[in-house]
Every structure is written in structure tokens, then in C-alpha cells.
Amino acid sequence: MGNSVDASHNRTCPDSLIFVIVGFNFNTIMNAPIIAATDPTTEAISNIYARRSVRRYTSQPVSRELIEQIIDAGRMAPTAMVKQPWKFYVLTKASSIREFSKAIIKTLAKDLVHEGPAGIAKLALGALYSLYYGDFKKAPDIFYGAPVIIFITAPKEEPWACYDVSMCAQNIMLAAKALGLDSCPLGVGKAVEHTSIYYKLRIPYPEQVFLALCIGYGNEAPKPHKRIKDNLFYVDDYGP
């Protein structure tokens, strides 16, 4: 992965000047512990632990100001060769979101039926899942009633785009949490490309959809799932 270089890194400041300003030498500053990066009570770390994939939302709309704030946070993600390949296609009208939800569900159902018994079993499981998180009086909603849907795209030929988009999406979801919003990533958002209404997103070739993000004010507080802890290996501890 490529790394961007901040121009400020090229600036130099004599040790003597730093000594005058802060009252102790340069080495003392450089060797001081970085508490903010390791303290679990810091806002950034707390935000990571507080984020959940939320699948129930209120109908409260999200302002364009907030939408643009969280997308700006996405733009700050690392990106190979600083190409920033991502683009964002946003739905905010309830009628449009419902239309795309129905179209994606229809497309997924067709694909699963073609898989035979295994696909039909997946389809049945998905239907139960939608009923659990949805409203029995309404049609299934793949977007869980979220008032904002963000489709993130990148060019098909970009070999690192999937990584760039994933990091961008995580930034957006963490920014949303920091601003009082909730989110849920949807890999099945890619299926929108195979719907009959895909053209309505006005996504030009050769861009492709990598995922969709549901954004809104959550109407549930999911508990964290247990995390696997036996997946860390210090390679050097094993010797040559």
C-alpha cells in the first residue's frame, strides 16, 4: 500500500529553539510516552468500542451537513498511491430507498434460487432475518429503515480499491458514531448492480459498487459480540 507524506514532516526546527520554547531538551520530548494512543478512555478508542452494526432506525432525517461531515471523514482514510478512488452515491428519500431495497431483494432471491437447495435455504434464513429486524406490517427492507444509504464505488481496474473503500467505510462509520449516528455496512449492496433500476444511481462505467452503508439514528442498542482473542501471534517469540 502506498503512503502519503505530509509536507509538514519536511520542516526542521533546531533543538535549541525547542529547548527555549518548552524548557527541556528535544530528546525528552521524543521519548515521552504517548498516552493518547494507548489510553482506552480516549475518545477515539472509546468510539471504536462503542460502534455497532445497527439494524433498526428511527425515521428522523439526517441533515446534509452531517452526511457531508462523515463522508469527509471517509476521505481521510489511507489510500494506495493516494489515488482516493472512492465515490459516494447517496439516497435520502424514503421512497427511493424502498424502491432500491425491493429491487435488491428481488435480485438476491433470483440468484439464490438458481443455487438450488443450498441457495433456497439461504433465502429462507434471510427472510427470517429480515422479519426479525423489520416490521411485520411492511415489506422486508434490506436497509433496515435507515434514512440515509451510501453506495461506495471505485473503478473496476483499481487493484487496491477494495482495501481503500473498506478503510474509507470504517472511517465513515466511526465518524457517524462520534456525531450521534449509527450505521451498518452491507456487502449485499453490491447486488444493486444487477437490478433493473441500477441506472437510476447514475454510476458511470467502469465504476463498481463495493458496498452500501446504512446511516441514521439507531432505534436499538445491540450488545457487543464476543471477540476472538487467540488470533495474535508474536512471530519473533518462536525463534529462528
Side-chain angles (χ1 to χ4, degrees):
M1 299 286 286
N3 294 316
S4 59
V5 178
D6 191 327
S8 63
H9 292 175
N10 295 324
R11 299 171 189 163
T12 58
C13 185
D15 291 2
S16 57
L17 179 58
I18 295 177
F19 181 88
V20 171
I21 294 172
V22 299
F24 49 86
N25 66 38
F26 180 72
N27 287 332
T28 301
I29 299 172
M30 294 303 294
N31 295 325
I34 305 174
I35 297 174
T38 56
D39 185 351
T41 63
T42 59
E43 185 177 352
I45 298 296
S46 297
N47 202 39
I48 290 171
Y49 281 87
R51 188 213 61 80
R52 300 284 182 274
S53 291
V54 170
R55 295 177 175 86
R56 289 190 178 97
Y57 294 87
T58 71
S59 58
Q60 181 179 348
V62 179
S63 70
R64 289 204 171 189
E65 180 183 4
L66 283 179
I67 294 171
E68 288 166 17
Q69 266 190 275
I70 64 176
I71 288 178
D72 270 344
R75 292 182 177 120
M76 293 302 296
T79 165
M81 308 298 291
V82 202
K83 286 189 174 181
Q84 306 176 57
W86 42 63
K87 290 186 180 177
F88 311 93
Y89 295 83
V90 183
L91 299 177
T92 56
K93 288 186 178 180
S95 57
S96 295
I97 294 171
R98 283 194 300 270
E99 183 182 19
F100 276 96
S101 173
K102 289 178 182 177
I104 291 172
I105 289 173
K106 184 178 179 181
T107 295
L108 290 173
K110 284 182 179 179
D111 290 345
L112 290 172
V113 167
H114 289 156
E115 287 184 17
I120 293 170
K122 291 178 189 175
L123 182 60
L125 183 61
L128 290 172
Y129 197 74
S130 295
L131 286 172
Y132 177 77
Y133 283 107
D135 187 334
F136 283 94
K137 297 179 182 178
K138 297 180 181 178
D141 182 2
I142 202 168
F143 299 126
Y144 306 114
V148 177
I149 307 301
I150 304 172
F151 291 98
I152 307 181
T153 73
K156 292 177 181 288
E157 70 274 8
E158 285 294 335
W160 308 110
C162 61
Y163 308 109
D164 292 349
V165 168
S166 296
M167 292 184 284
C168 172
Q170 180 76 341
N171 270 22
I172 290 173
M173 291 186 287
L174 291 174
K177 190 64 183 175
L179 293 170
L181 298 165
D182 286 297
S183 61
C184 185
L186 291 176
V188 294
K190 286 174 59 69
V192 71
E193 294 181 330
H194 306 294
T195 65
S196 61
I197 60 170
Y198 178 60
Y199 70 93
K200 291 188 177 183
L201 289 178
R202 297 177 174 82
I203 297 174
Y205 183 84
E207 290 178 44
Q208 65 176 350
V209 176
F210 280 85
L211 81 165
L213 296 178
C214 302
I215 303 290
Y217 294 95
N219 198 22
E220 65 171 359
K223 293 181 179 180
H225 295 289
K226 185 177 179 180
R227 298 294 167 170
I228 297 170
K229 302 287 285 186
D230 61 347
N231 51 10
L232 169 62
F233 307 95
Y234 291 100
V235 176
D236 291 332
D237 288 355
Y238 295 96

